[in-house]
Amino acid sequence: MSPPKGMIGIRHIALFVQELEVAVDFYTRIMAMRIEWQPDADNVYLTNDGDVFALHRVDYTPEAKQRLDHIGFVLNKAEAVDDWYDYFVQQGVRITEAPKTHRDGSRGFYCLDAVGHLLELIYHPPITKCATG
C-alpha cells in the first residue's frame, strides 16, 4: 500500500521548556512570533502565520535543559488524518493517541516513529490556509 496524499510538510514543532515565560518572551519579542493560543499557564502555541511552535512547561532533572515533545506533520484536510491513521495502523506503526477533532477545528493523532520519537499528524486550518495559499 502506498502512503496517502495530503502531506504539506513539517510545520509544527513542540518543545518542553522549564522557563516558559522566558521562552515566550524570546520567541515573541526577538523572533517576532505571536501567541495563537494559550489554553493555560503551562502551554503556549506561537505562530508566524505559517507554522505552529508549541511550548510546554515541565520540570526537569538537573542535567536536562530542553527536550523535544513532538514533531507535527501537517496535512491538507481533516479527512487526510484518517487516511494516514488507517495507513499507519496497516503498517504496524505504534499509535499513542487515536484521531480526534479539537475545539479549533484541527484534527490529528499521535504515533511513534521507528526509534521512539513522538509524531503528530495534524490538519490545522491556519497552517493549511497559509501553506496552500
Side-chain angles (χ1 to χ4, degrees), residues 72-113:
F73 288 82
V74 176
L75 303 173
N76 65 355
K77 57 186 177 179
E79 295 80 16
V81 171
D82 297 305
D83 294 342
W84 279 93
Y85 174 80
D86 292 341
Y87 173 70
F88 278 11
V89 168
Q90 290 174 358
Q91 297 299 312
V93 174
R94 183 170 169 217
I95 305 299
T96 61
E97 187 177 320
K100 70 176 183 180
T101 301
H102 303 277
R103 58 111 194 127
D104 63 355
S106 64
R107 180 168 176 75
F109 70 95
Y110 291 90
C111 63
L112 298 177
D113 72 7

Side-chain angles (χ1 to χ4, degrees), residues 18-114:
Q18 188 171 20
E19 298 178 68
L20 182 65
E21 293 79 10
V22 172
V24 169
D25 177 65
F26 175 83
Y27 286 106
T28 57
R29 190 171 52 83
I30 304 297
M31 299 295 293
M33 298 187 87
R34 66 179 172 76
I35 295 174
E36 179 182 64
W37 182 41
Q38 185 168 3
D40 55 50
D42 294 324
N43 299 281
V44 177
Y45 296 82
L46 303 171
T47 187
N48 61 1
D49 296 318
D51 301 305
V52 172
F53 185 50
L55 301 172
H56 306 297
R57 183 192 323 269
V58 294
D59 292 325
Y60 290 97
T61 56
E63 65 275 2
K65 297 294 180 197
Q66 173 174 303
R67 187 172 86 73
L68 177 69
D69 177 15
H70 68 273
I71 301 169
F73 288 82
V74 176
L75 303 173
N76 65 355
K77 57 186 177 179
E79 295 80 16
V81 171
D82 297 305
D83 294 342
W84 279 93
Y85 174 80
D86 292 341
Y87 173 70
F88 278 11
V89 168
Q90 290 174 358
Q91 297 299 312
V93 174
R94 183 170 169 217
I95 305 299
T96 61
E97 187 177 320
K100 70 176 183 180
T101 301
H102 303 277
R103 58 111 194 127
D104 63 355
S106 64
R107 180 168 176 75
F109 70 95
Y110 291 90
C111 63
L112 298 177
D113 72 7

Side-chain angles (χ1 to χ4, degrees), residues 7 12 16-18 20 22 64-65 77 85 98 104 106 115 118 120-121 127:
M7 181 80 61
H12 171 57
F16 287 129
V17 296
Q18 188 171 20
L20 182 65
V22 172
K65 297 294 180 197
K77 57 186 177 179
Y85 174 80
D104 63 355
S106 64
V115 294
L118 185 63
E120 179 182 25
L121 277 81
I127 298 175

